[in-house]
Structure formats: C-alpha cells, structure tokens
C-alpha cells in the first residue's frame, strides 16, 4: 500500500470510528442493552479509577489488536485500519477521559476554541441523570453549545433534573 493510501486509510478510519462511537454511544450504551456498563459512567459516584464503562474501550482495543494481527500476517489494509482505530482510541482518551473527566493527574479546563467546545458539549451530555434525553453523543465532533442547550430545553430534561444546580457548563 502506498504512503498516501495508508494515510488516507488512517484518516478515514478515524472518521468512521467517530460515526461508530456516536452510534454505539447513542443506541447501545444509552439503550437497554448497554446501559448496564455505561451507567457506571453517568449515575454512579466513582474516584476516576476504572469503571464498568471502560469495558467498551477494551472491546475496541481487542478489535484493534485483531486487526494488527491480521495485518502482521500480510494484510496492509488491516494494519492501517488498526492504526486508525488506535489513533481514535488515543484521541478519545485525551478528549474524553483526560480533558473532560479529569482522569489525568492534573485538571485543565480549556478557555476557548475547539477543546472548549468538546469539553462543554460532553459536560452537557452529563447534565441529565439517566440514559434518556441526553445530548451530544460524539467524542471528536461536538455540536454547538447553543444547539445543545436548545435541545435540552425542548426535551424538558433539565427541568426534570433540577434537583441540584444546573450541571451543563
């Protein structure tokens, strides 16, 4: 496989992984099938150590490992798909686990730009208790904060959830 084909494969795989992650997050993790694991991420207090929800990352890591193994047996395409899945996993870890949920040894809250938008969008995802009426299911792509606020307002989810302070910062 040429260098440009490999680079294109990695980029397209990262994009496909964002669509896959959105779909899995929206319809499996927040659905009746996957909520058992994902609930640990939303509704249970934790010390930012491992949680059941991290098993989803293990599943994607296994997929990547299998693709690397197939690639090592001679499939260039499988190898570069594995690189793309791994790159997405690293981006996910940086944005979701590190930046948004503070699973780093330090805390950083971005003040502006793309990282601020991703941070706010995912915080708004957690503004609602439970699996219903959540917004912003992607991890790399983040809708505008204004559109997410409007969606939450339309659903009435924040009104139902206002036992404490508004958590959609």
């Amino acid at each position: 496989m040429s260098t440009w084909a490999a680079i294109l494969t990695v980029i397209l795989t990262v994009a496909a992984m964002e669509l896959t992650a959105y779909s899995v997050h929206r319809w499996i993790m927040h659905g009746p099938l996957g909520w058992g694991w994902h609930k640990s991420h939303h509704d249970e207090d934790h010390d930012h150590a491992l949680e059941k929800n991290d098993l989803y990352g293990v599943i994607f890591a296994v997929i990547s490992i299998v693709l690397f193994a197939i690639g090592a047996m001679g499939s260039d395409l499988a190898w570069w798909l594995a690189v793309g899945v791994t790159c997405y996993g690293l981006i996910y870890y940086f944005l979701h686990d590190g930046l948004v949920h503070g699973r780093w040894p330090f805390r950083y809250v971005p003040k502006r730009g793309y990282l601020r938008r991703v941070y706010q969008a995912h915080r708004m995802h957690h503004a609602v208790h439970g699996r219903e009426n959540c917004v912003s299911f992607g991890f790399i792509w983040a809708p505008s904060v204004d559109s997410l606020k409007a969606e939450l307002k339309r659903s009435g989810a924040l009104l139902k959830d206002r036992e404490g302070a508004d958590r959609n910062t």
Side-chain angles (χ1 to χ4, degrees), residues 53-70:
N53 183 65
D54 293 327
L55 292 170
Y56 288 109
V58 172
I59 289 171
F60 284 106
V62 168
I63 291 168
S64 187
I65 290 166
V66 168
L67 286 169
F68 273 124
I70 293 168

Side-chain angles (χ1 to χ4, degrees), residues 99 107-120 145:
L99 184 69
R107 186 88 175 133
Y108 172 71
V109 178
K111 303 290 186 229
R112 62 185 173 280
Y114 168 74
L115 292 180
R116 176 72 174 167
R117 184 172 170 157
V118 168
Y119 180 87
Q120 287 181 312
V145 173

